[in-house]
Amino acid sequence: MRTIALRLMYVGTAYHGWQVQKNAVTVAETLEHSLASVVGHPVKCTGAGRTDAGVHAETYIANFRTSSRIPCDRIPLAVNTRLPDDIVVVKATAVPGSCLKKEYTYRIYNSHIRNAFYVNRAWFYPKHLDETVMQRAASHFVGTHDFAAVRSVGTETRTTVRTVHYFNISRSGELIECRVCADGFLYNMVRAMVGTCVYAADGKFSPDDVPAILEGRNRTAAGPTVPAGGLYMTKLWYQEDVL
């Protein structure tokens, strides 16, 4: 049996997240069915992390075990002919080491008039946001903290302490990008962090209140969980850079 790692990208609008569910169409289930038809046996895919319903991935890593001898360089083309257009396998190779850190990017379309091409691709927010204020708030998230204040109730976890390596806010015209990298993320953590930065820019509280919000560990003290359609998994780091 070989273990194969796949690098893929997907638009999550039509799916209820990555992980297989009993009564909902997911990315993992769709990929597993397509892989099974290529390798000739049932397949179980293990992903680099969960993405929620409607969340996208510009880069995602999943691995599976197979007895098939099909060469790795032929797997992407073979699988892609069986996948819907919104999921694409980019590369297949021997499985890399464990994931060291991940980057998510959240996109906000900040304009008085919405843009049809950003529907389900960025969060339309019509009130002007000052990205410099958002950055002041974002900077307080960097470091090792207890992130319970920006975690939604969901998957159980042993600890709510994580290390955020960077949280950078930038603007290009009407598009604001919130790019955050950490060793791991709690359920809805990125979307709640972005919501907190938006609340700071909107004057709901000072950006310098973020440390006290984190220390208080109270979810209701932070900003809202922003919509899923603006969130993308954009980068992953492994012990071996093979994908």
Side-chain angles (χ1 to χ4, degrees):
M1 295 286 282
R2 294 184 298 161
T3 300
I4 305 296
L6 303 175
R7 176 158 59 92
L8 56 145
M9 62 174 72
Y10 57 84
V11 175
T13 305
Y15 304 97
H16 289 259
W18 160 262
Q19 195 155 328
V20 173
Q21 300 177 35
K22 288 183 178 180
N23 299 309
V25 178
T26 66
V27 178
E29 177 189 31
T30 306
L31 179 61
E32 287 173 359
H33 286 328
S34 299
L35 281 168
S37 67
V38 170
V39 300
H41 61 78
V43 167
K44 171 65 177 176
C45 288
T46 301
R50 296 180 61 140
T51 57
D52 298 327
V55 174
H56 318 295
E58 291 182 350
T59 297
Y60 191 88
I61 307 295
N63 63 69
F64 71 100
R65 289 179 60 77
T66 181
S67 57
S68 169
R69 294 187 176 184
I70 182 172
C72 285
D73 60 354
R74 295 186 184 178
I75 292 176
L77 290 176
V79 177
N80 287 336
T81 60
R82 295 162 171 83
L83 283 169
D85 292 341
D86 50 9
I87 302 174
V88 177
V89 174
V90 178
K91 187 177 180 181
T93 190
V95 74
S98 59
C99 186
L100 302 176
K101 54 186 179 178
K102 306 171 188 177
E103 179 193 84
Y104 281 92
T105 300
Y106 194 89
R107 294 177 178 136
I108 303 171
Y109 189 73
N110 188 212
S111 172
H112 294 302
I113 304 297
R114 70 179 183 271
N115 186 324
F117 288 97
Y118 282 113
V119 173
N120 293 322
R121 302 292 188 278
W123 180 31
F124 170 55
Y125 197 87
K127 185 177 179 180
H128 178 73
L129 294 170
D130 186 336
E131 66 275 14
T132 61
V133 177
M134 292 180 68
Q135 182 62 70
R136 277 178 57 198
S139 296
H140 290 298
F141 286 107
V142 177
T144 302
H145 307 286
D146 187 328
F147 286 94
V150 286
R151 174 206 181 193
S152 297
V153 175
T155 307
E156 290 301 316
T157 183
R158 184 177 58 83
T159 176
T160 51
V161 174
R162 296 290 186 274
T163 298
V164 171
H165 299 289
Y166 57 79
F167 190 1
N168 298 328
I169 312 287
S170 63
R171 176 188 283 272
S172 177
E174 283 123 349
L175 191 68
I176 296 174
E177 287 199 333
C178 311
R179 200 172 292 268
V180 56
C181 171
D183 59 354
F185 292 93
L186 303 168
Y187 183 51
N188 283 343
M189 176 174 157
V190 176
R191 291 160 61 191
M193 290 166 66
V194 172
T196 301
C197 293
V198 168
Y199 259 31
D202 209 18
K204 299 287 198 308
F205 44 68
S206 167
D208 297 321
D209 289 337
V210 170
I213 290 171
L214 288 175
E215 188 174 343
R217 304 181 75 251
N218 182 356
R219 178 67 190 90
T220 61
T225 301
V226 295
L231 185 62
Y232 298 74
M233 180 177 281
T234 45
K235 193 170 182 180
L236 301 109
W237 287 262
Y238 281 84
Q239 292 172 341
E240 301 171 38
D241 187 17
V242 296
L243 284 167

